[in-house]
Amino acid sequence: MSIVIEQPRSPRSRKSANWEKYGWLYMRASGVVLIFLIFGHLFTNLFLGEGIKAIDFAFVGGKWSDPFWQVWDLLMLWLALIHGTNGMRTIVNDYTEREAVRKTLVWSLWSICAVLIVLGTLVVFTFDPCPAGAAAELLPSFCPAK
Amino acid sequence: MATEFEELGAVPSFTVTLFVRRFNPEDGQEARWQDFDVEVHGTDRVLDALHKIKWEMDGSLTFRRSCAHGVCGSDAMRINGRNRLACKTLVKDLDITQPIYVEPIKGLAVEKDLVVDMNPFYQAYRDIKPFLIASDKPEKERLQSAAQHSKFEDTTKCILCAACTTSCPVFWTDGQYFGPAAIVNAHRFIFDSRDEAAEVRIDILNDKEGVWRCRTTFNCTEACPRGIEVTKAIAEVKQAILRGKP
Amino acid sequence: MSNATPKVHHYEYDVVIVGAGGAGMRAAIEAGPHAKTAVISKLFPTRSHTGAAQGGMAAALANVEEDSWEWHTFDTVKGGDYLVDQDAAEILAKESVQAVIDLENMGLPFNRTPDGKIDQRRFGGHTRDHGKAPVRRSCYAADRTGHMILQTLYQNCVKLGIEFYNEFYVLDLIMTKVDGVERPSAVVAYELATGELHVFQGKSIIFATGGFGKIFKTTSNAHTLTGDGVGIIYRKGLPLEDMEFYQFHPTGLAGLGILLSEAARGEGGILRNSSGERFMERYAPTIKDLAPRDMVARAMANEVREGRGAGPNKDYVLLDLTHLPPEVIDEKLPDITEFARTYLGVEPYTEPVPVFPTAHYAMGGIPTNVQAEVLRDNKTVVPGLYAAGECACVSVHGANRLGTNSLLDINVFGKRAGIAAVEYAKTAKHVPVPANAADEVVSMIEKVRNSKGTEKVAVLRKELQDTMDKNAQVYRTEESLNEALDKIAELRERYENISVQDKGQRFNTDLLEAIELGFLLDLAEVLAFTSRERRESRGGHFREDFETRDDKKFMVHSMAYLTDKKPKKPGDNIKLDWKPVTITNYQPMERKY
Amino acid sequence: MWSWVLHRITGVAIFFFLLVHVLDTALVRLSPEAYNAVISTYKIPLIGLAELGLVAAILFHALNGVRVILIDFWRKGVKYQNVMFWIVIAIAAIAFLGFAPRHLSHVFGFEI
Ligand SMILES: Cc1cc2nc3c(=O)[nH]c(=O)nc-3n(C[C@H](O)[C@H](O)[C@H](O)COP(=O)(O)OP(=O)(O)OC[C@H]3O[C@@H](n4cnc5c(N)ncnc54)[C@H](O)[C@@H]3O)c2cc1C
Ligand code: HEM
Ligand code: SF4
Ligand code: F3S
Ligand code: FES
């Protein structure tokens, strides 16, 4: 066997090249925004008032009747899911050896991400804090059923 | 005064146990640890201890080495779990009450004992076009200010020992990542004011296996026996890619 | 397994270069674009020992002060104690400027002057106007000039797509008789990874295998500098020139040999013995610690010899920097501080550093003319065979090399060798290679591998190095050299009876160390022999029994040939001849600084 | 390296929590009963403790994320990376200590 130095050549794979840069940037940009969103979220839900104990349908309904919190949670949903999924994709890329496995896992990740984003978005937008026929004591205080 | 000068260098000898990771492709056995008790002098380095083993106990112990003082980059190995040059690591500076573990650098195929296949590593280096690309044909030297020179001087110190790349947890995962050493050498040219092909190298490193795989774990910086600020160089290359120029 | 004949591969190239250090790669850069070129190296190119050079590379660029190539020539001739071939020295000095510019244009990051040109600094022996004052002639890249040269040359080889065969050990040169003349036809290399053999046929063959410091115990040279190339040439019956001239650098780290640059004393470092005495005051009352390399080295050795050495074994002296402000040490001597701290655990701010002369550089080697063509006797060249770098003797260094002239040598004569090799390959035909070309190497290897002998390589090598340090170092006498020759003869006999533990094919460094030892023994023997026959003192060669230079008898180069004669007395197997020195402008004078 | 290992582990943990969290929250669309039923099963000490872990993970991940961003974009970030790591740990610990008692008081129903 002879070890022959090959002519300098272009890198191993040129596919999806610039994607990585934008992914990298997105992780940072979304990270910064998420700090405010997540800590704001945690603060109001877990720290203020009764904390975790207070969380129930009424609590959520109360929050989402306010467009401010709707936008907040929606933004958080999108940013965090894409951030998390992209992070998971990196990890999958690192640790999978077989190309088929890698492809499957990455594809599943993005599918789950998409489903959850659609689901979450629908929930936030089509959410009715005072569903008809629900037991009144479960509803937020401003509902007419009360 | 006399006694003071006579005492100098009077470092006692002592005995240590070395556990060396052995592998011989020809004997059909799996890789295994083998221990040796070695008497070393106070100023002996791990390389000296390995030589003692090779020369006095087991001639088949195989490792690379040449210069013996940290300039040729032959003998990067994992000593007590850290990548170092055997010729720059004094035995007495390790915890000698415990056995010393010596094994090949990680992430490259082991050929025999402490010798690994360096070709993928060299290939990544060659892939980033590690040479000056300039179109002008000056008759004398090209001019360069001290300030321009200082931008890349740190990364000219690289001896291609692979201590950095083989300490990088991202490289360990699949060996496809270009690795810090290649990026360091790209940095050396990207930031050289005489070079005209920064964009080409930037483009190469903007690859899926390029700089973006670096997770700033700093293992490379800690491992570099030349004290190169590897992670900093990588960060500068990332910024250059974002800007599209050095 | 061990009896199977190794696989043999054949290749055909125009130019075959043995060695990928500075000289080999500089030649490759000239040859590669114009001829089918292979570079064969026992080390990956950037592991070569050129990378260890710190100080700089001389060239009369006159970037910082007035300078000229004539002055540089004069310094080189005088530094070499007039044994320099002056036509060669002129070429070295004249082509130095272009050599540096070449490197800069290839990308070497030299340190710069405020106006952006290549900066230059002072170095021992380099003066303005024939010795009037020190001159700033050394071009440098911090304290890693050699490293940058080696890296830059390799980078350009990558750029040019030069073919390398790395970790291939060349062990034999094949000479074929054509029209009554022995011509080189191929080299035979052993591949470390597989144990297979490779025959490289070439029209031109360049040897650039570096030095052989490992014949000594204390040396600044790498473990791999075992003089294989020089040994191969010598075994072919070709002469070796000026082998008695070996440079010992005064300040090697004691016991290790790792070099501490001359700058240490330049900045005011003082050498002391066990009682703390500044002993150089006795040897050189006026310039003291800044006397020339050979003088200082001898003084240090004498202190130790007379029992005034420091340390538990009284075998070194001390380099005292403690009176210097730490800032000066940090700024001017960073490498020294790092080496002392790392390797001896000595803190130079507060403790003196143990030092002892270290075997550093071979002035002698394979004789060549200024086209880098190898000589078969005092005049005739071997067509198609070239040598450059430390393994060659042009002779530009004479009896003592000036600091920074070797990095220059490898670039100037490496380039010349490359150009000459291509020119030759353009017109010449391949010399036929005999079918059994690899046989010699096969038997050499199999003999060692299959030997059931009782001698150990490491033991023999150590005994060799000990005797060389004791008998052929800075002080030599008829008696000590005879002792060395006797010992080497004994070791040669025992070498016939060595065996190795590793019998395998893959990465068998055990086997190769045994073979390298064979070359070391040969070279040590020539060195001791020619040292004995040169009954004078000149440059790096100091005979206590002949303390002065003898221009009447010894203003000549030694030329040593290995013969087939069965020696009755040690050294009998070597035929010695003398070759006149080429003098152009500078008549020999006493060497005074 | 350990900062990265932790960052990665916490990232994964948060990701999986987020998956579950989106799903359970989506139950509000189904009916208040369903949502409350699921949420109330969360109100046991074990989950309470897990939530504590989650908050710790988010704290570390977020703060270390800031550290990573500073290393990437701030000139001196590389130099101070190690110091910043300990600052991250310190801030995370303080914030956690501020949060934990209050949360535990909610979970176990005691007053502080
Ligand atoms: C510590 C130190 C400091 C120095 N500082 C300076 C300085 O400041 N200025 C200066 O001018 N000079 C200096 N020198 C001297 C100078 O560095 C060397 O003389 C010069 O670099 C030699 O270069 P080379 O190309 O001839 O050999 P090397 O660089 O030693 O290369 C030899 C090559 O030959 C190959 N080789 C050897 N044997 C075989 C074989 N059997 N088969 C295949 N390949 C083989 C090796 O792999 C290697 O590639 C210094 C030397 C030392 C040791
Ligand atoms: C609170 C604010 C957050 C910040 C500031 C933040 C910041 C970051 C940053 C900068 C990275 C990139 C690390 C690198 O490239 O080395 C990252 C990676 C990651 N983040 Fe976040 N993040 C936050 C929230 C989240 C959330 C909510 C999730 C889960 C859904 C998450 C999951 C991940 C994952 C899985 C990774 C990949 C880790 C890796 O590759 O090692 N992060 N985060
Ligand atoms: S950057 Fe440092 S650790 Fe990495 S190869 Fe170069 S010298 Fe070795
Ligand atoms: S170890 Fe690896 S992850 Fe980046 S900082 Fe160094 S290259
Ligand atoms: S042997 Fe050269 S770096 Fe260790």
Side-chain angles (χ1 to χ4, degrees):
Chain A
M1 189 198 68
S2 67
I3 299 156
V4 176
I5 290 187
E6 289 161 49
Q7 285 283 7
R9 57 184 175 91
S10 50
R12 297 159 251 215
S13 70
R14 305 263 41 205
K15 277 179 292 155
S16 70
N18 287 343
W19 244 103
E20 293 299 329
K21 175 166 84 182
Y22 299 116
W24 186 86
L25 276 173
Y26 174 80
M27 291 306 272
R28 277 135 189 89
S30 60
V32 172
V33 181
L34 278 171
I35 293 179
F36 297 100
L37 296 179
I38 292 184
F39 286 115
H41 176 80
L42 289 178
F43 195 68
T44 45
N45 285 17
L46 296 185
F47 198 78
L48 289 183
E50 290 280 272
I52 188 91
K53 263 198 333 218
I55 294 182
D56 57 12
F57 184 85
F59 179 86
V60 179
K63 261 181 106 187
W64 282 352
S65 59
D66 182 349
F68 175 80
W69 285 114
Q70 261 185 323
V71 172
W72 183 289
D73 280 7
L74 205 64
L75 209 60
M76 192 163 68
L77 173 80
W78 281 72
L79 290 178
L81 268 173
I82 298 177
H83 176 105
T85 308
N86 192 45
M88 291 299 292
R89 182 190 64 97
T90 312
I91 297 175
V92 166
N93 281 349
D94 276 0
Y95 297 115
T96 49
E97 290 186 356
R98 296 231 315 277
E99 185 58 18
V101 178
R102 192 187 70 81
K103 280 226 170 86
T104 319
L105 283 175
V106 170
W107 189 85
S108 329
L109 278 172
W110 287 118
S111 311
I112 294 173
C113 175
V115 168
L116 288 186
I117 285 183
V118 171
L119 179 73
T121 309
L122 284 177
V123 167
V124 175
F125 273 127
T126 64
F127 173 70
D128 177 357
C130 312
E137 69 274 19
L138 299 178
L139 300 179
S141 53
F142 53 77
C143 281
K146 274 251 150 160
Chain B
M1 188 133 199
T3 48
E4 181 198 331
F5 281 108
E6 271 161 13
E7 287 304 306
L8 275 164
V11 202
S13 297
F14 53 88
T15 303
V16 286
T17 307
L18 267 85
F19 273 79
V20 184
R21 187 97 177 141
R22 302 298 304 269
F23 170 70
N24 183 351
E26 289 174 273
D27 68 7
Q29 290 184 53
E30 297 278 300
R32 64 202 174 274
W33 290 100
Q34 188 178 355
D35 60 320
F36 299 93
D37 289 331
V38 190
E39 158 134 12
V40 296
H41 183 68
T43 58
D44 275 355
R45 295 153 279 164
V46 172
L47 181 65
D48 298 304
L50 292 172
H51 269 145
K52 274 220 165 93
I53 296 174
K54 184 173 182 64
W55 292 341
E56 292 165 20
M57 303 177 211
D58 184 351
S60 69
L61 179 68
T62 306
F63 49 90
R64 291 191 176 100
R65 88 303 183 238
S66 181
C67 71
H69 65 284
V71 298
C72 77
S74 301
D75 59 345
M77 48 188 80
R78 232 168 120 80
I79 298 167
N80 284 351
R82 265 189 59 193
N83 278 5
R84 320 174 195 236
L85 295 178
C87 66
K88 262 189 121 169
T89 309
L90 290 185
V91 177
K92 74 172 172 55
D93 292 346
L94 300 167
D95 177 7
I96 51 173
T97 59
Q98 301 287 322
I100 296 167
Y101 287 84
V102 182
E103 55 191 313
I105 44 180
K106 271 170 69 168
L108 294 164
V110 180
E111 300 260 23
K112 182 173 174 184
D113 293 347
L114 302 172
V115 173
V116 299
D117 177 9
M118 296 282 284
N119 283 314
F121 173 79
Y122 296 141
Q123 190 55 51
Y125 164 76
R126 288 190 290 261
D127 279 346
I128 54 91
K129 300 189 190 292
F131 38 77
L132 192 78
I133 300 177
S135 55
D136 56 331
K137 295 261 177 302
E139 276 174 20
K140 292 211 73 182
E141 70 254 48
R142 294 191 183 89
L143 299 185
Q144 181 166 63
S145 71
Q148 287 170 328
H149 179 237
S150 68
K151 277 200 171 152
F152 67 99
E153 195 191 8
D154 194 40
T155 43
T156 65
K157 296 189 299 201
C158 176
I159 53 176
L160 296 175
C161 67
C164 55
T165 296
T166 59
S167 70
C168 173
V170 177
F171 182 76
W172 290 340
T173 59
D174 61 0
Q176 291 302 303
Y177 172 39
F178 270 87
I183 303 173
V184 158
N185 283 281
H187 178 281
R188 179 250 171 274
F189 288 101
I190 291 173
F191 291 93
D192 188 332
S193 57
R194 300 168 296 173
D195 189 84
E196 292 164 8
E199 281 78 7
V200 178
R201 295 190 191 88
I202 282 177
D203 199 37
I204 294 173
L205 288 175
N206 190 13
D207 187 71
K208 151 159 155 285
E209 310 296 350
V211 286
W212 308 118
R213 281 198 75 181
C214 168
R215 305 250 79 83
T216 50
T217 61
F218 285 90
N219 285 16
C220 50
T221 304
E222 278 164 34
C224 180
R226 299 283 278 181
I228 298 172
E229 292 190 78
V230 183
T231 311
K232 184 167 173 220
I234 298 174
E236 286 172 2
V237 172
K238 286 175 183 161
Q239 292 301 322
I241 297 181
L242 293 179
R243 281 194 303 271
K245 60 181 187 350
Chain C
M1 172 182 72
S2 57
N3 283 326
T5 3
K7 223 168 146 181
V8 183
H9 308 257
H10 290 267
Y11 310 80
E12 203 183 88
Y13 283 94
D14 294 330
V15 178
V16 172
I17 300 172
V18 184
M25 289 202 286
R26 189 65 190 81
I29 286 170
E30 295 305 320
H34 308 292
K36 191 169 181 247
T37 303
V39 182
I40 309 166
S41 174
K42 74 179 187 182
L43 299 171
F44 182 77
T46 62
R47 317 266 180 248
S48 303
H49 210 54
T50 294
Q54 307 163 354
M57 167 167 168
L61 293 181
N63 272 359
V64 280
E65 55 191 37
E66 195 192 351
D67 200 0
S68 85
W69 67 265
E70 278 111 340
W71 299 347
H72 186 184
T73 310
F74 172 77
D75 293 334
T76 303
V77 171
K78 180 181 171 193
D81 222 348
Y82 294 92
L83 198 75
V84 171
D85 283 334
Q86 296 182 12
D87 56 337
E90 277 169 26
I91 288 173
L92 182 81
K94 257 193 223 165
E95 294 182 6
S96 66
V97 177
Q98 191 56 44
V100 169
I101 301 293
D102 283 352
L103 287 171
E104 196 285 334
N105 290 349
M106 285 185 219
L108 199 146
F110 282 109
N111 280 45
R112 302 289 174 155
T113 63
D115 51 352
K117 293 198 263 181
I118 295 169
D119 198 11
Q120 298 185 281
R121 63 182 175 199
R122 299 200 176 101
F123 225 85
H126 291 280
T127 67
R128 63 181 298 274
D129 198 4
H130 310 94
K132 296 237 166 66
V135 74
R136 289 165 48 140
R137 186 179 289 149
S138 161
C139 309
Y140 65 100
D143 54 1
R144 38 178 185 277
T145 317
H147 163 78
M148 282 332 313
I149 290 179
L150 193 65
Q151 295 286 334
T152 304
L153 292 175
Y154 180 61
Q155 289 157 2
N156 279 272
C157 287
V158 173
K159 186 177 186 176
L160 296 172
I162 306 283
E163 279 182 67
F164 283 94
Y165 294 85
N166 297 325
E167 300 192 328
F168 277 51
Y169 287 62
V170 169
L171 299 179
D172 197 11
L173 167 69
I174 306 297
M175 301 284 279
T176 313
K177 217 174 211 150
V178 181
D179 306 331
V181 187
E182 290 248 308
R183 290 164 185 268
S185 55
V187 293
V188 183
Y190 174 97
E191 184 183 357
L192 183 64
T194 59
E196 293 174 353
L197 296 181
H198 303 259
V199 178
F200 292 87
Q201 186 178 24
K203 293 174 180 170
S204 315
I205 294 173
I206 304 177
F207 272 69
T209 54
F212 46 86
K214 276 289 147 181
I215 58 176
F216 294 99
K217 183 171 93 184
T218 311
T219 175
S220 64
N221 282 197
H223 283 287
T224 44
L225 284 177
T226 49
D228 314 353
V230 184
I232 290 169
I233 295 285
Y234 179 59
R235 286 178 185 177
K236 292 285 129 180
L238 296 169
L240 298 183
E241 182 174 345
D242 285 345
M243 290 294 284
E244 61 274 34
F245 295 107
Y246 204 94
Q247 182 170 75
F248 299 91
H249 195 291
T251 48
L253 279 187
L256 300 171
I258 295 169
L259 199 73
L260 299 185
S261 155
E262 227 167 74
R265 281 168 295 132
E267 294 298 334
I270 292 171
L271 292 163
R272 299 185 189 280
N273 60 19
S274 60
S275 58
E277 181 205 3
R278 182 179 193 178
F279 58 86
M280 281 312 295
E281 282 174 334
R282 272 186 280 121
Y283 298 87
T286 44
I287 44 176
K288 305 186 182 104
D289 300 277
L290 283 171
R293 277 186 190 177
D294 47 347
M295 276 182 73
V296 179
R298 280 195 292 274
M300 291 164 69
N302 195 48
E303 289 301 298
V304 166
R305 211 163 49 160
E306 295 181 354
R308 291 190 293 275
N313 302 320
K314 299 189 152 298
D315 56 357
Y316 52 74
V317 301
L318 297 160
L319 176 64
D320 187 0
L321 303 170
T322 55
H323 54 287
L324 300 178
E327 310 86 73
V328 171
I329 299 183
D330 278 348
E331 193 193 328
K332 302 276 181 65
L333 310 166
D335 52 328
I336 296 181
T337 356
E338 201 211 308
F339 285 151
R341 278 184 202 142
T342 310
Y343 293 116
L344 296 180
V346 168
E347 176 47 67
Y349 293 167
T350 54
E351 298 165 276
V353 184
V355 289
F356 199 70
T358 182
H360 185 52
Y361 183 84
M363 270 77 72
I366 307 167
T368 72
N369 62 17
V370 294
Q371 317 307 343
E373 291 170 295
V374 173
L375 300 174
R376 74 163 72 254
D377 52 40
N378 287 2
K379 286 195 275 299
T380 337
V381 301
V382 184
L385 189 59
Y386 304 84
E390 190 170 337
C391 70
C393 176
V394 187
S395 130
V396 283
H397 308 304
N400 174 54
R401 170 179 72 87
L402 285 188
T404 69
N405 260 358
S406 173
L407 289 179
L408 177 58
D409 175 8
I410 60 177
N411 277 288
V412 167
F413 289 99
K415 181 176 178 181
R416 285 183 152 244
I419 294 173
V422 168
E423 283 308 308
Y424 181 81
K426 271 191 190 146
T427 56
K429 281 216 233 351
H430 275 112
V431 177
V433 181
N436 59 354
D439 283 7
E440 192 102 349
V441 174
V442 172
S443 62
M444 175 155 99
I445 288 168
E446 293 311 312
K447 189 176 140 199
V448 175
R449 200 202 302 272
N450 298 329
S451 163
K452 304 254 181 310
T454 49
E455 296 287 355
K456 281 193 145 191
V457 174
V459 174
L460 263 60
R461 184 175 49 217
K462 181 164 187 314
E463 287 183 30
L464 171 71
Q465 292 170 339
D466 283 342
T467 191
M468 292 303 282
D469 267 23
K470 176 158 166 268
N471 295 314
Q473 221 217 19
V474 294
Y475 282 110
R476 299 160 173 185
T477 64
E478 194 89 9
E479 200 189 335
S480 76
L481 292 163
N482 275 327
E483 192 180 319
L485 281 168
D486 289 341
K487 181 73 192 180
I488 295 166
E490 175 209 316
L491 292 172
R492 267 172 167 298
E493 228 160 80
R494 288 165 58 193
Y495 181 70
E496 292 301 307
N497 193 28
I498 51 162
S499 68
V500 294
Q501 246 172 302
D502 193 340
K503 309 286 186 193
Q505 303 288 344
R506 311 203 60 218
F507 287 96
N508 193 338
T509 50
D510 203 18
L511 176 80
L512 284 158
E513 281 191 28
I515 288 174
E516 289 170 338
L517 174 62
F519 293 122
L520 290 177
L521 284 168
D522 282 356
L523 298 181
E525 186 175 50
V526 204
L527 190 148
F529 176 77
T530 53
S531 301
R532 187 187 69 188
E533 298 305 309
R534 185 176 285 277
R535 293 184 176 86
E536 65 156 352
S537 292
R538 181 190 296 269
H541 171 68
F542 188 83
R543 287 284 298 258
E544 278 179 282
D545 36 1
F546 301 93
E547 287 200 11
T548 52
R549 196 170 89 191
D550 180 354
D551 283 347
K552 260 216 228 68
K553 263 210 202 119
F554 288 108
M555 190 60 181
V556 279
H557 301 291
S558 69
M559 297 284 273
Y561 300 76
L562 182 69
T563 66
D564 297 335
K565 229 167 75 185
K566 263 249 160 277
K568 280 205 251 357
K569 286 202 310 311
D572 266 3
N573 50 336
I574 302 172
K575 186 184 100 193
L576 189 64
D577 195 5
W578 303 95
K579 184 176 101 171
V581 175
T582 309
I583 294 176
T584 56
N585 287 326
Y586 305 107
Q587 288 308 316
M589 295 185 298
E590 196 189 334
R591 191 169 63 118
K592 270 197 312 210
Y593 286 99
Chain D
M1 173 154 101
W2 298 115
S3 65
W4 164 74
V5 172
L6 271 177
H7 193 82
R8 184 157 268 200
I9 293 174
T10 52
V12 174
I14 304 166
F15 177 75
F16 282 112
F17 163 77
L18 187 61
L19 297 188
V20 177
H21 189 51
V22 172
L23 286 174
D24 63 40
T25 309
L27 290 174
V28 295
R29 186 67 185 80
L30 211 61
S31 74
E33 288 80 5
Y35 181 76
N36 283 359
V38 171
I39 292 298
S40 61
T41 59
Y42 287 178
K43 292 181 182 166
I44 54 167
L46 189 69
I47 299 284
L49 288 175
E51 277 159 348
L52 212 54
L54 177 76
V55 168
I58 294 179
L59 275 170
F60 175 82
H61 187 92
L63 290 167
N64 192 57
V66 174
R67 170 177 161 272
V68 169
I69 294 169
L70 285 173
I71 291 169
D72 290 329
F73 290 99
W74 178 40
R75 216 169 259 286
K76 301 213 170 114
V78 174
K79 189 166 153 202
Y80 295 118
Q81 63 95 2
N82 208 19
V83 181
M84 287 196 297
F85 175 71
W86 293 113
I87 294 176
V88 164
I89 297 287
I91 298 181
I94 292 168
F96 183 74
L97 289 179
F99 169 77
R102 202 177 158 86
H103 182 69
L104 290 177
S105 78
H106 293 147
V107 173
F108 293 102
F110 57 82
E111 290 292 321
I112 43 164

